[in-house]
Amino acid sequence: QKEVEQNSGPLSVPEGAIASLNCTYSDRGSQSFFWYRQYSGKSPELIMFIYSNGDKEDGRFTAQLNKASQYVSLLIRDSQPSDSATYLCAVSSGGYQKVTFGIGTKLQVIP
Amino acid sequence: DAGVTQSPTHLIKTRGQQVTLRCSPKSGHDTVSWYQQALGQGPQFIFQYYEEEERQRGNFPDRFSGHQFPNYSSELNVNALLLGDSALYLCASSLEGSGSYEQYFGPGTRLTVT
């Protein structure tokens, strides 16, 4: 079982729709959860982080965490073509908070 | 506020050679982590440096080594390069004790081994 699992996609949504990206993790002791956006040929950019169960909103982005189900998600409202990128889920755990990444989900926003 | 910087941007090496990649952390950060990202994959953790010491390591062979300097900058060295070492090498910095553990990435070094 992979430590952090994501569907590689591509996930295609029309412009203006809500994009829903999902991630599951295996280590119940994981403490911090991150979403990175990575454009083709570029490095990952941190867009959201969450530590507590529930929702965290920042502009058009909402991160959701359910530790009991070991599930974290990212919602992107009013999706724009510029949101087309690969979204990496990352989870930190252990004494030194080692960060483990998923494979990433490729999002395509269709104009 | 200076972000994470890495050099060089691109590098082409021959199998068997050695390479050194460099990273300067974001201003105010003291911890540096290195990752290898192959095409179509997520970043894979190589190791992390704090207080000039390697304090945790991923599943990478001893050919991969590193160093952290007193100014918190870091180097990644790879010996006896293999074709499979071709990847994007990413450096990420963070602040120990911040309680938040967010890591910020540099632009990466694209290594091609021929």
Side-chain angles (χ1 to χ4, degrees), chain A residues 36 38 43 51 96-98, chain B residues 37 56 100-103 106:
Chain A
Y36 287 83
Q38 186 172 28
S43 65
Y51 310 119
Y96 294 130
Q97 295 299 306
K98 174 187 169 184
Chain B
Q37 187 176 26
Q56 56 180 335
S100 55
Y101 307 112
E102 300 110 83
Q103 294 186 350

Side-chain angles (χ1 to χ4, degrees), chain B residues 15-90:
Chain B
R15 199 169 34 179
Q17 287 188 316
Q18 177 264 344
V19 68
T20 297
L21 311 182
R22 296 177 175 83
C23 170
S24 290
K26 179 181 170 68
S27 179
H29 284 184
D30 56 9
T31 302
V32 173
S33 301
W34 286 92
Y35 294 84
Q36 179 195 67
Q37 187 176 26
L39 201 59
Q41 301 296 315
Q44 297 295 309
F45 177 74
I46 302 175
F47 42 53
Q48 183 182 84
Y49 276 85
Y50 173 68
E51 291 189 338
E52 302 179 48
E53 293 202 356
E54 179 187 303
R55 69 175 181 181
Q56 56 180 335
R57 188 180 183 93
N59 293 325
F60 280 81
D62 292 344
R63 298 187 297 109
F64 290 77
S65 63
H67 189 76
Q68 186 179 35
F69 299 94
N71 67 353
Y72 308 120
S73 66
S74 177
E75 288 182 350
L76 164 65
N77 300 292
V78 187
N79 294 322
L81 285 166
L82 303 174
L83 296 179
D85 294 332
S86 295
L88 178 66
Y89 287 84
L90 297 161

Side-chain angles (χ1 to χ4, degrees), chain A residues 17-85:
Chain A
I18 296 175
S20 178
L21 304 161
N22 305 314
C23 171
T24 59
Y25 59 94
S26 60
D27 185 351
R28 283 197 170 273
S30 297
Q31 298 177 351
S32 306
F33 307 86
F34 309 94
W35 284 98
Y36 287 83
R37 178 176 62 199
Q38 186 172 28
Y39 292 112
S40 181
K42 302 295 185 182
S43 65
E45 173 192 8
L46 180 64
I47 55 173
M48 289 288 289
F49 56 90
I50 186 167
Y51 310 119
S52 304
N53 275 330
D55 295 0
K56 179 181 179 182
E57 186 174 320
D58 183 2
R60 295 187 297 111
F61 299 98
T62 298
Q64 300 175 317
L65 175 61
N66 183 326
K67 289 188 176 182
S69 299
Q70 296 174 244
Y71 177 92
V72 59
S73 65
L74 178 69
L75 301 178
I76 306 175
R77 290 181 299 280
D78 188 24
S79 295
Q80 301 297 308
S82 59
D83 294 326
S84 298

